[in-house]
Amino acid sequence: MADKYQVIIVGAGLAGSAAAFKLAQAGLEVVLIERGQYPGSKNLSGGILYGGILNELIPAFWEEAPVERSITKNIVTFLTEQDSFSIETHNNRFSAPPYNGFSVLRGKFDRWLAEKAEEEGAMLVPGICIDGLVKENGKVIGVKADDEEMLADVVIAADGVNSFLAREAGLYKDLHKQDVAVGIKELIELPAGTIEDRFNLTGKEGTAYGIIGYATAGQAGGAFLYTNKESISVGLVIHLDDLLKGKRKAYDILEDFLEHPRIAPLVRGGKATEYGAHLVQEAGYDNLSRLYDHHLLVVGEAAGLLANNGLVIRGMDLAIGSGMLAAEAVLQAFDRNDFSADALSSYQKAMEQSFILKDMKTYSKAPGFMKGHRLYQQYPDMVTGLMEKIYAQDCSPKENIYKIALNQMKESQISLLNLAGDGRKGLFWL
Amino acid sequence: MNRSSIQEKVGINKYEIDEGNSHIHIDQEKCANCVEKSCLYICPAGVYSERNGDIIPEFAACLECGTCRVACANEGLTWFYPRGSFGIIYRQG
Ligand SMILES: Cc1cc2nc3c(=O)[nH]c(=O)nc-3n(C[C@H](O)[C@H](O)[C@H](O)COP(=O)(O)OP(=O)(O)OC[C@H]3O[C@@H](n4cnc5c(N)ncnc54)[C@H](O)[C@@H]3O)c2cc1C
């Protein structure tokens, strides 16, 4: 006879561990299964964790969690092949509790959150890869690994972007090239003092760059550069369909980016210590599917949850939030001893009322906007060209800024109509 | 920082290799007829190469992102995760 539990969660990423934490805290018998040697060993983000929702689950988590730096400086940079244009903001409010976003490294952070779930009584089983669902009369009753079955009243699929489980359950269609972006990242070690001097930081503060343009060789997507305590996370996120069209290797584009005159000084003298890759959900709100079935809930990126407006990419907080709401729905189901799809649909309703699906809806047109190619070539070209013309003093008579701007737009092949249209979309869709 | 090759990049990573047990399977017949052969350039770990017309996956270097599976145009490639606890081990992530 296969062992039977109250709840089985597949995947000890942030979504899975958040759900496990809440369920175990309420006294349920929860098994948390992870294919990696330890939670986090398969996971990769940029990553800035927006901490609001985790603060609800574990108040003042930053006092004990392995966070790197609290992000107080956000820099947006447009890159051309040689030049750049940046906008920097420093928000002092973000330097004190409850903070806003922290740079995190998932190999450490996910391990910590899974341990917190264990402390609450969840049973963590690492090193087991679940091969599929166990069904009876078309309904999910458990999971299997190497032909060994484990049964449960409720299964939570928290298995990330590739989610073989959500697909096997028939809730999600298979991923297509237009649904995902490819994320690659290099970790570059530098002494804490160097990072603080170089990025003009004090103490535990950190900087996050969002970089658009030449960074992705003109393809839809962006680059990021985040400061950790003693390292820098730097990488690219490029839409897969564009990457396929361009036929350039992502790691070659990353190498070009690291040699760019704006970027090279930021990583100078650093030592690369890890290189990783991970897919990012880009299907967006319009392609979300049902998040539940009989005895089954889907959370985190497995459920397609990700909000990306080009400058801010959020998956971790949505993952944690969805795990928490799934746990609440499961607790209600246990109260009524009813695990039907109908009973579990309260999860979907709660999600729709939460910031999670509301934010995804707000950004539902962002993926389309982000594929507008003017953003990656013409606009970076326009702003850097404009600035160059304003600052360059080369003994030729100057024109006023309005004329310079009009000429520059012509040079960058942007019409007033383009500008008005893109500006309007940018303002409303991002 | 000096430019590094993809071999150098994955070379600094930690892996637990499931010797002789590839989690990537290639249907050479299907792949021989594939015009795109996107696996050869799309894999962020440079796992795939072509030798004498065959697609050779260097599975030990796989970062387990799943890009190849989504990109593959002709279903010549079967990709699932390595057995539990094997494969890439991100220390930082
Ligand atoms: C390059 C990059 C940059 C990003 N930057 C940010 C950022 O700055 N901020 C942000 O909020 N988000 C960011 N994201 C998105 C974020 O990383 C994800 O949205 C988030 O990790 C999703 O969490 P999850 O728990 O749903 O899934 P995951 O973190 O993918 O966790 C899934 C877990 O399930 C396990 N698993 C999968 N299948 C099985 C199986 N069959 N059996 C057992 N275990 C299994 C995996 O090993 C893993 O531990 C970024 C992503 C990338 C790739």
Side-chain angles (χ1 to χ4, degrees):
Chain A
M1 255 292 287
D3 290 329
K4 167 130 196 224
Y5 305 92
Q6 287 183 304
V7 185
I8 291 176
I9 301 173
V10 181
L14 297 179
S17 288
F21 181 95
K22 221 174 149 80
L23 289 167
Q25 197 174 45
L28 290 196
E29 183 191 31
V30 187
V31 182
L32 179 60
I33 304 171
E34 167 57 45
R35 70 184 185 89
Q37 281 191 1
Y38 54 84
S41 63
K42 301 291 184 187
N43 303 348
L44 181 127
S45 287
I48 309 297
L49 169 74
Y50 296 94
I53 190 70
L54 186 55
N55 190 29
E56 286 181 22
L57 186 68
I58 302 175
F61 68 88
W62 52 82
E63 288 175 3
E64 50 169 314
V67 294
E68 296 291 322
R69 289 176 182 272
S70 125
I71 302 303
T72 54
K73 279 189 191 170
N74 284 286
I75 303 175
V76 181
T77 297
F78 291 91
L79 224 56
T80 65
E81 195 172 341
Q82 290 295 321
D83 302 326
S84 65
F85 174 82
S86 298
I87 307 164
E88 173 170 341
T89 58
H90 179 253
N91 297 90
N92 201 43
R93 179 167 75 83
F94 297 163
S95 66
Y99 304 100
N100 181 56
F102 294 95
S103 47
V104 296
L105 294 167
R106 303 288 300 278
K108 302 172 190 170
F109 196 81
D110 289 24
R111 201 170 185 166
W112 168 80
L113 190 60
E115 278 165 11
K116 293 300 287 181
E118 268 189 298
E119 278 169 29
E120 295 297 328
M123 190 166 112
L124 174 67
V125 186
I128 303 280
C129 184
I130 296 301
D131 310 317
L133 299 166
V134 181
K135 290 186 183 173
E136 195 177 78
N137 304 325
K139 291 174 187 167
V140 175
I141 57 163
V143 296
K144 58 175 185 268
D146 289 334
D147 293 325
E148 204 178 308
E149 299 188 344
M150 277 182 272
L151 307 181
D153 291 315
V154 182
V155 172
I156 300 181
D159 50 343
V161 57
N162 286 304
S163 189
F164 290 99
L165 294 187
R167 279 169 245 298
E168 190 188 337
L171 289 179
Y172 276 78
K173 63 176 174 48
D174 205 2
L175 292 170
H176 291 291
K177 60 185 182 187
Q178 64 276 10
D179 300 331
V180 288
V182 180
I184 62 171
K185 163 175 158 177
E186 197 151 73
L187 200 87
I188 297 173
E189 282 185 9
L190 280 168
T194 305
I195 291 177
E196 281 147 32
D197 291 347
R198 193 170 287 180
F199 293 89
N200 215 354
L201 299 167
T202 48
K204 293 177 182 155
E205 286 180 56
T207 299
Y209 277 85
I211 305 149
I212 278 183
Y214 179 75
T216 52
Q219 300 172 22
F224 59 86
L225 189 152
Y226 303 148
T227 56
N228 302 313
K229 266 186 200 142
E230 297 183 317
S231 63
I232 290 173
S233 294
V234 56
L236 309 174
V237 175
I238 305 180
H239 289 257
L240 178 55
D241 47 2
D242 249 35
L243 202 55
L244 280 166
K245 264 185 245 149
K247 285 197 163 52
R248 281 202 62 204
K249 293 172 174 142
Y251 43 87
D252 286 340
I253 303 176
L254 178 64
E255 286 301 300
D256 288 350
F257 173 63
L258 291 173
E259 283 182 344
H260 191 281
R262 177 71 176 82
I263 305 303
L266 299 177
V267 295
R268 191 180 52 225
K271 181 169 173 262
T273 56
E274 194 166 83
Y275 169 74
H278 208 281
L279 286 176
V280 184
Q281 271 282 359
E282 294 284 353
Y285 182 80
D286 296 334
N287 290 300
L288 284 177
S289 181
R290 201 151 52 90
L291 306 171
Y292 62 93
D293 205 343
H294 296 288
H295 306 258
L296 180 74
L297 294 173
V298 190
V299 297
E301 228 174 303
L305 305 178
L306 194 114
N308 183 1
N309 69 0
L311 298 177
V312 175
I313 160 166
R314 287 168 50 204
M316 290 190 267
D317 58 330
L318 309 192
I320 293 170
S322 66
M324 289 162 65
L325 291 178
E328 274 169 30
V330 170
L331 291 173
Q332 287 167 17
F334 271 95
D335 277 346
R336 294 190 213 115
N337 199 27
D338 178 359
F339 311 105
S340 63
D342 219 25
L344 294 175
S345 69
S346 65
Y347 166 53
Q348 180 101 32
K349 285 187 203 100
M351 285 287 283
E352 269 153 22
Q353 280 154 21
S354 75
F355 74 94
I356 301 168
L357 291 193
K358 284 188 177 155
D359 284 0
M360 279 197 65
K361 194 171 178 187
T362 303
Y363 297 141
S364 60
K365 291 198 171 112
F369 181 68
M370 296 305 294
K371 284 189 180 164
H373 285 253
R374 279 192 285 275
L375 210 54
Y376 306 99
Q377 274 159 353
Q378 281 132 289
Y379 286 124
D381 194 60
M382 182 185 84
V383 279
T384 54
L386 180 64
M387 286 304 166
E388 184 177 320
K389 289 195 177 72
I390 290 172
Y391 285 109
Q393 308 302 339
D394 53 5
C395 306
S396 58
K398 298 234 57 113
E399 298 193 277
N400 66 30
I401 288 187
Y402 177 68
K403 278 209 181 118
I404 295 178
L406 283 184
N407 285 337
Q408 182 60 48
M409 281 174 61
K410 222 183 261 165
E411 262 178 48
S412 304
Q413 298 175 328
I414 297 170
S415 70
L416 272 174
L417 221 63
N418 292 153
L419 193 65
D422 291 340
R424 204 189 114 252
K425 287 180 196 164
L427 287 176
F428 286 99
W429 292 356
L430 297 186
Chain B
M1 285 184 57
N2 294 328
R3 264 186 109 85
S4 62
S5 68
I6 187 58
Q7 288 77 16
E8 288 167 318
K9 282 190 190 308
V10 296
I12 55 178
N13 287 343
K14 185 175 173 194
Y15 291 93
E16 180 80 38
I17 297 166
D18 196 356
E19 295 291 352
N21 220 347
S22 177
H23 61 287
I24 304 171
H25 302 282
I26 303 291
D27 182 335
Q28 299 294 358
E29 257 170 57
K30 277 190 184 160
C31 296
N33 293 322
C34 175
V35 253
E36 279 102 21
K37 291 199 170 57
S38 56
C39 56
L40 296 177
Y41 59 88
I42 207 67
C43 170
V47 160
Y48 299 90
S49 59
E50 198 172 13
R51 243 175 282 156
N52 306 324
D54 278 356
I55 301 288
I56 314 289
E58 197 62 63
F59 78 94
C62 178
L63 297 166
E64 298 165 37
C65 62
T67 302
C68 58
R69 193 183 73 87
V70 183
C72 178
N74 76 341
E75 297 177 343
L77 187 154
T78 315
W79 182 95
F80 188 65
Y81 301 120
R83 284 196 293 153
S85 86
F86 286 102
I88 182 72
I89 301 175
Y90 290 123
R91 292 157 296 185
Q92 318 266 8

